[in-house]
Amino acid sequence: MTHENSAEGDAGEIGPLRLGLIGAGPAGRRRVDQIMAETGLRLAMVHDLDAATAQACADHTGAVVAPTAEDLIAGSGAIVIATPLGARAELVGSALQARRSVLAEGLPAATRTQIDALYRAATAGGMRLVAARADPAAMALAMCVREAEPPRLIEVSRSAPSTQRRSEVGVCLDLMVDDIEAVCALMNRPPVEVRATVSAGRGERADAIEATVRFKGGAVARLRASRLGAERSHVFRITGREGVIEGDLVTGEVRGGGPDLKERIARSCAELSDARALLAPAAPARPFAWPATQLALQIEGVCRAQAI
């Protein structure tokens, strides 16, 4: 795959490219700051429905304010879209139709049908559609310890303060989806049973969920996620043939898995960055991103059914 306005480079090297941002609120600003810090690339264009917000981002980054989203899409080589979820699908679709690769801050659309259609469009056009991870650490751990046979049990517990939330989606699609992607990679087989409980929530947008997923062959994953915690925590525990591997993904401490596992996880985190997924000529594959999104939507559906 090639990017328009991109430079040739060695595999993994990110070359010059006109980066655009649609949606210049806090989430979009954080994502662009991350990309600039990782790559040295500067933001070229920014658009937001609020002119003052767009101008503040432009002043911060040195970008040019685009008067419309269409102008930004036409003038950019790759685009970060960090608008509210309801507006995201149309913008992602327009960018893909213009043959621009896209990083969506969270889900690229609101429904399973829309998300599936956008992924298919990106694949058919040879473009990248990246659903940004809140944190690559869980997937980095999974890639470092994957074996031919799945583990018997995976236990994940994650919490964050209520201020660290995407208000337009429930906790499963906010915090838990990254863990689900790592679980799908470790299991590498389809789920056959899903149970979930909303321990606390606000209508359809649950703020705390406990889920149990049984996979073909009998392996089980138990996941807990909450946006109501006093502080951030994230523990990932894998029980397999070789014993137990446990990682505290906030402190970076690990137990089991060999003496160099901590260092391998750190290297894997860098390789799994969203900036590389969007911009590098040799992007890391994400074969479990769509299955994880499907499973996360299924878990949220079970929780919504309980609330009815």
Side-chain angles (χ1 to χ4, degrees):
M1 189 211 79
T2 60
H3 289 294
E4 294 187 21
N5 303 322
S6 63
E8 296 293 332
D10 296 331
E13 180 183 349
I14 298 174
L17 178 142
R18 288 181 61 80
L19 179 67
L21 169 65
I22 301 176
R29 287 273 296 270
R30 283 195 301 270
R31 187 63 60 181
V32 166
D33 284 345
Q34 174 198 355
I35 291 173
M36 292 192 301
E38 287 187 25
T39 67
L41 186 69
R42 308 308 299 172
L43 185 67
M45 302 181 76
V46 59
H47 171 73
D48 195 283
L49 292 178
D50 185 281
T53 298
Q55 190 59 57
C57 181
D59 293 342
H60 171 68
T61 60
V64 173
V65 175
T68 67
E70 291 77 12
D71 291 327
L72 185 141
I73 289 170
S76 302
I79 301 167
V80 175
I81 297 179
T83 63
L85 184 59
R88 212 171 294 162
E90 183 177 355
L91 291 166
V92 172
S94 296
L96 293 174
Q97 188 173 15
R99 298 190 59 78
R100 304 298 193 258
S101 288
V102 177
L103 186 150
E105 184 59 37
L107 292 177
T111 70
R112 184 179 304 190
T113 301
Q114 289 176 317
I115 296 168
D116 189 32
L118 291 171
Y119 273 116
R120 291 179 186 277
T123 300
M127 297 295 102
R128 295 180 194 171
L129 174 54
V130 180
R133 290 187 178 103
D135 181 357
M139 192 62 179
L141 172 61
M143 298 310 294
C144 288
V145 302
R146 280 186 74 196
E147 296 182 347
E149 291 297 319
R152 298 193 305 273
L153 176 65
I154 300 173
E155 299 165 286
V156 189
S157 179
R158 175 189 281 225
S159 68
S162 58
T163 54
Q164 299 178 17
R165 61 177 300 197
R166 297 188 182 114
S167 60
E168 75 270 23
V169 296
V171 68
C172 189
L173 294 171
D174 183 359
L175 298 180
M176 193 184 281
V177 67
D178 293 341
D179 296 327
I180 294 173
E181 186 181 4
V183 166
C184 288
L186 287 164
M187 296 301 192
N188 198 23
R189 56 192 61 195
V192 296
E193 182 184 16
V194 175
R195 298 180 181 179
T197 302
V198 182
S199 349
R202 301 169 187 166
E204 292 187 354
R205 293 178 177 84
D207 287 313
I209 287 177
E210 296 188 11
T212 300
V213 183
R214 188 175 302 277
F215 290 81
K216 185 177 181 180
V220 172
R222 297 188 181 122
L223 303 104
R224 295 183 295 274
S226 171
R227 292 189 294 212
L228 305 174
E231 58 185 18
R232 183 168 170 252
S233 65
H234 192 186
V235 177
F236 207 107
R237 193 170 191 263
I238 304 163
T239 303
R241 293 178 303 168
E242 303 300 322
V244 176
I245 298 172
E246 184 174 296
D248 184 324
L249 302 183
V250 172
T251 66
E253 295 303 313
V254 294
R255 179 172 63 87
D260 64 339
L261 180 57
K262 182 176 179 178
E263 290 72 22
R264 288 191 287 123
I265 292 171
R267 290 195 298 269
S268 184
C269 276
E271 293 167 0
L272 292 169
S273 78
D274 291 319
R276 182 168 297 283
L278 178 68
L279 301 173
R286 289 188 64 178
F288 303 100
W290 176 226
T293 301
Q294 289 180 306
L295 181 53
L297 288 165
Q298 185 177 356
I299 292 171
E300 289 236 321
V302 171
C303 292
R304 283 196 299 271
Q306 293 177 11
I308 293 174

